[in-house]
Amino acid sequence: MTDADPVRLYRTVRLIRRFEQRAVELVHGGQIVGGIHPYLGQEGIAAGVCAALGTDDVLAGTHRGHGHVLARGADPARMFAELCGRLTGLNAGRGGSMHAADLSIGVLGANAIVGASGAIITGAVWARRRQGHDTVGVSFFGDGAVNEGMLLEAFNLAALWRVPVLFVCENNGYATTMPVAGAVAGSIAGRAAAFGIRAVEVDGQDPEAVRDAAAAAVDRMRAGGGPELIEARTYRFDAHHTFEHAVRLDYRPPDEVTRGRARDPVHIQGERLSDADRAAVDAEVEATVDAAVRFALDSPEPDPADALTYLYASGMTARTGGG
Amino acid sequence: MPRLSYRRALTRALADELARDEAVFLLGEDIQVGASLVTTGLAKRFGVDRVRDTPLSEQAFTSFATGAALAGLRPVIEFQIPSLLFLVFEQIVNHAHKFPLMTGGQCAVPVTYLVPGSGSRTGWAGQHSDHPYSLFAHVGVVTVVPATPADAYGLLVSAIRHDDPVVVFAPAGAMDVRDDVSDLEPVPLGRGRIHRFGDDVTVVAVGHLVHDALAVAEELADQVSVEVFDPRTLYPFDIDGLTESVARTGRLVVLDDANRSCGIAAEIIASVVERVRLLAPPRRVTRPDGAVLPFAPALDRAVQPSREQLATAIHLTMKDSS
Ligand SMILES: Cc1ncc(C[n+]2csc(CCOP(=O)(O)OP(=O)(O)O)c2C)c(N)n1
Ligand SMILES: [Mg+2]
């Protein structure tokens, strides 16, 4: 099921890159309120992992979640519309950047609570397999999440019940401003090993390396193996969150940032394409992103009278708050 | 008529729903053996795949249930201790409860959280004796506290069939109540029940305290005519039903086995006085503010609302309006 096409992989990486750059502009322009956690620099991980998935598979992401949603194939126009709080957004403007979800393609949502996705995905995969699907799942999380008890409990549960979940740790070196060395005793792979979960480290800046590691893990999981973990070493090119664009926080040495940015997944994958292919993809992505932004900005805003529509799936309604 | 205990009514509800709907399954600690004496026999009848013992990982299995619900199943989790809800408040509130709205209506999370033996279990002390139902009402999670075997059955069945998360508190003080039960059927969520009609004062009693309220009402029968209203569901609250009652009696006393500040009693009183002009100030009988149940039996009892306190509150309410 793995998509081995380098051009499509490049396209996904490039799409996420341009999406995120435009999203940052929309934050600065005031069209996206509340800011975003840019996925810039980490695009190869979502793109590589999702290239190894089939249509029955599910994933859940993080606060830095746009890349996962896009790599899985969500409509960039509806994704932009969601970030802009429009009615046409994936979540009808109720979720925003940190909760974008598209259940129709197995995206159980970005999730703003660090370490939360592992257990949710484990339950979803177990349930789908019980219903006869050959589903595997992916739980994306950052290096900060490996110190959350909830995630470690999920490792145990997935391993104990042999639920095929690929735990993908995007180790970008920092949890907000906290370096990994200041937060992680032992190692990330070691946490997996403690639960009997096979773990590999990959170069998260190389989309094909990520894809190959994910494909191998997915193959083993589909063959009946238990969960696995990939630690993808990466670097975030931009701020933890766009609020940092206004408030400069001093925690990453400038030469480290320069070195980190030098290993760019867009270029690493782009080099693998002919100039003509690359130019064609770039032009197509540009047109897609342009149209997507236009769609979002032209879309209607939700009616404040409907603010709590969808609160209850059962159709229950809540008392209003006015006197 | 067969006599059914509250505990067996819960067992019956679980068994009937497991039999009725393949999507239903149970998760919890020691439920295969049935340590709580609620899931007794279910693993044998329905298999260990549908009656799943979990490791002691409340946070993970609570969100595991959320994921399974997102994928179309109807998990029921049994929690051994009411205070375990504090551990998983995050998973219930931030994820299970918020997903439908945050996804713009893309999903439902039909999970039931069953707490057999909530409140004081006499002698189990501070960390086993809480009644944190107001917390769930506050965040807007459907919360039920059945008082009788028939309601335990009917509300648990409705909870499992409901498309949103539901917390079911089965108070320790009600677990051994027995009743003549002819036919068991689903009880609608959000609808209260008047156990005893009266003219002078409406007593709202939550969970096992319904039985205390009924006893006090009988005791005082020659002095005051007490109506006993059992909300059964605390959220959403049957405010229409209660308003109808209080509009007749003109007086309100609430009996609630939980801490006073921001307790459900406060919400019940506020909701009524927004709608009804009372003949006397409303009163509530609750645990004290910030109560931690002490171990020694006399102290444990001293912190729980008592029949004497209720009788006093009823008398004072009558006096205030005369
Ligand atoms: C449980 C929890 N704790 C704290 C936060 C606040 N917070 C949001 S992102 C973040 C850092 C997360 O770091 P990491 O997991 O490495 O992901 P990254 O931001 O690097 O992608 C923190 C502390 C949160 N959202 N959830
Ligand atoms: Mg990080």
Side-chain angles (χ1 to χ4, degrees):
Chain A
M1 272 197 244
T2 303
D3 185 346
D5 180 17
V7 179
R8 276 195 295 274
L9 186 56
Y10 173 72
R11 183 191 181 272
T12 307
V13 173
R14 177 79 188 177
L15 173 70
I16 301 171
R17 169 65 50 89
R18 291 298 296 138
F19 184 99
E20 290 296 73
Q21 289 172 333
R22 292 296 289 275
V24 169
E25 288 170 26
L26 292 173
V27 169
H28 293 161
Q31 292 98 337
I32 294 176
V33 297
I36 63 167
H37 298 85
Y39 196 61
L40 296 165
Q42 302 181 204
E43 299 91 338
I45 302 170
V49 169
C50 288
L53 299 180
T55 50
D56 250 0
D57 300 332
V58 294
L59 64 81
T62 65
H63 57 285
R64 197 176 305 289
H66 305 171
H68 313 128
V69 181
L70 292 169
R72 186 67 183 143
D75 177 358
R78 295 195 59 208
M79 182 70 182
F80 267 129
E82 186 55 37
L83 303 191
C84 295
R86 303 306 168 106
L87 201 52
T88 53
L90 289 172
N91 307 30
R94 269 64 172 188
S97 167
M98 286 189 280
H99 307 297
D102 189 343
L103 279 281
S104 70
I105 53 170
V107 177
L108 306 192
N111 199 312
I113 301 303
V114 170
S117 75
I120 294 174
I121 276 293
T122 302
V125 171
W126 177 83
R128 285 188 57 80
R129 295 186 80 77
R130 203 172 148 254
Q131 293 162 316
H133 301 274
D134 188 26
T135 300
V136 303
V138 181
S139 161
F140 290 99
F141 51 87
D143 47 279
V146 303
N147 298 316
E148 292 286 358
M150 176 169 42
L151 182 66
L152 301 178
E153 286 186 14
F155 283 5
N156 185 59
L157 213 56
L160 187 71
W161 291 348
R162 295 188 72 74
V163 184
V165 173
L166 182 57
F167 293 103
V168 178
C169 179
E170 304 189 45
N171 180 356
N172 60 11
Y174 294 84
T176 314
T177 68
M178 169 62 81
V180 169
V184 180
S187 69
I188 294 170
R191 282 165 173 57
F195 298 99
I197 295 175
R198 179 186 179 122
V200 295
E201 288 174 25
V202 303
D203 175 3
Q205 302 313 94
D206 181 343
E208 291 193 351
V210 174
R211 181 200 60 203
D212 293 345
V218 166
D219 281 349
R220 284 188 295 268
M221 294 197 302
R222 281 203 215 282
E228 302 209 9
L229 181 140
I230 291 176
E231 179 186 347
R233 297 289 180 87
T234 186
Y235 199 76
R236 101 171 121 65
F237 286 7
D238 200 329
H240 168 67
H241 180 274
T242 47
F243 78 75
E244 272 184 63
H245 295 169
V247 192
R248 287 283 162 197
L249 302 176
D250 181 19
Y251 61 96
R252 297 202 300 185
D255 62 319
E256 179 195 293
V257 177
T258 308
R259 263 185 286 117
R261 285 190 181 147
R263 300 210 60 244
D264 184 335
V266 175
H267 295 308
I268 290 172
Q269 190 60 24
E271 302 272 275
R272 295 177 176 140
L273 272 57
S274 69
D275 289 349
D277 279 352
R278 186 170 176 174
V281 170
D282 288 354
E284 186 267 318
V285 164
E286 219 47 39
T288 300
V289 170
D290 278 343
V293 170
R294 265 198 314 279
F295 171 84
L297 297 179
D298 288 347
S299 288
E301 299 192 6
D303 183 344
D306 299 334
L308 289 187
T309 306
Y310 309 123
L311 180 57
Y312 295 108
S314 57
M316 244 169 64
T317 52
R319 276 193 295 178
T320 54
Chain B
M1 262 190 295
R3 278 179 81 73
L4 181 69
S5 79
Y6 188 110
R7 192 185 300 272
R8 276 296 143 256
L10 295 174
T11 311
R12 188 89 72 85
L14 294 173
D16 285 358
E17 289 310 290
L18 282 162
R20 191 187 61 81
D21 184 352
E22 265 296 312
V24 175
F25 73 101
L26 312 188
L27 280 173
E29 293 161 3
D30 310 297
I31 62 172
Q32 286 173 357
V33 167
S36 66
L37 306 180
V38 168
T39 54
T40 315
L42 298 178
K44 195 176 256 173
R45 183 167 161 203
F46 297 101
V48 293
D49 193 44
R50 293 182 72 199
V51 180
R52 297 184 74 81
D53 269 349
T54 60
L56 310 188
S57 305
E58 292 79 12
Q59 302 190 334
F61 68 67
T62 300
S63 275
F64 178 95
T66 300
L70 289 172
L73 299 187
R74 291 187 174 270
V76 179
I77 304 179
E78 183 193 275
F79 289 100
Q80 277 187 348
I81 312 170
S83 51
L84 297 182
L85 292 173
F86 298 138
L87 270 79
V88 300
F89 198 57
E90 196 281 317
Q91 286 72 20
I92 297 175
V93 177
N94 257 339
H95 307 277
H97 170 60
K98 292 183 181 175
F99 262 51
L101 181 125
M102 293 197 308
T103 60
Q106 293 183 62
C107 65
V109 187
V111 184
T112 303
Y113 312 97
L114 173 63
V115 190
S118 59
S120 168
R121 300 175 181 178
T122 311
W124 286 70
Q127 292 175 336
H128 280 70
S129 306
D130 294 299
H131 242 157
Y133 36 68
S134 303
L135 298 180
F136 293 94
H138 178 71
V139 294
V141 173
V142 175
T143 305
V144 304
V145 194
T148 67
D151 283 343
Y153 176 89
L155 288 167
L156 180 53
V157 165
S158 295
I160 295 170
R161 295 182 190 178
H162 192 65
D163 279 340
D164 288 305
V166 181
V167 187
V168 179
F169 287 89
M175 290 292 273
D176 295 316
V177 171
R178 283 168 190 280
D179 225 346
D180 293 331
V181 177
S182 46
D183 35 25
L184 290 168
E185 52 191 12
V187 169
L189 301 172
R191 201 155 324 146
R193 166 180 174 189
I194 296 172
H195 283 263
R196 182 187 197 280
F197 284 93
D199 302 321
D200 298 329
V201 56
T202 300
V203 171
V204 178
V206 177
H208 61 296
L209 296 180
V210 166
H211 306 288
D212 295 279
L214 288 169
V216 170
E218 280 310 312
E219 253 168 55
L220 304 182
D222 54 351
Q223 304 156 55
V224 48
S225 169
V226 176
E227 177 146 321
V228 176
F229 182 90
D230 170 5
R232 304 195 287 192
T233 303
L234 297 183
Y235 184 91
F237 195 89
D238 182 6
I239 190 61
D240 290 338
L242 179 57
T243 300
E244 185 277 324
S245 168
V246 180
R248 279 188 284 105
T249 62
R251 298 179 188 83
L252 175 65
V253 175
V254 183
L255 183 61
D256 167 25
D257 179 33
N259 295 359
R260 198 170 183 86
S261 282
C262 302
I264 199 71
E267 177 57 34
I268 292 169
I269 288 173
S271 299
V272 169
V273 300
E274 279 174 342
R275 293 173 157 219
V276 182
R277 194 179 296 277
L278 298 174
L279 301 171
R283 290 184 177 270
R284 55 185 153 149
V285 179
T286 65
R287 292 188 186 185
D289 269 350
V292 175
L293 245 72
F295 164 67
L299 305 184
D300 175 324
R301 273 194 304 280
V303 170
Q304 293 179 66
S306 68
R307 292 183 183 186
E308 294 68 36
Q309 288 173 317
L310 175 61
T312 304
I314 291 170
H315 284 311
L316 289 173
T317 304
M318 295 309 295
K319 208 172 98 207
D320 286 343
S321 53
S322 59

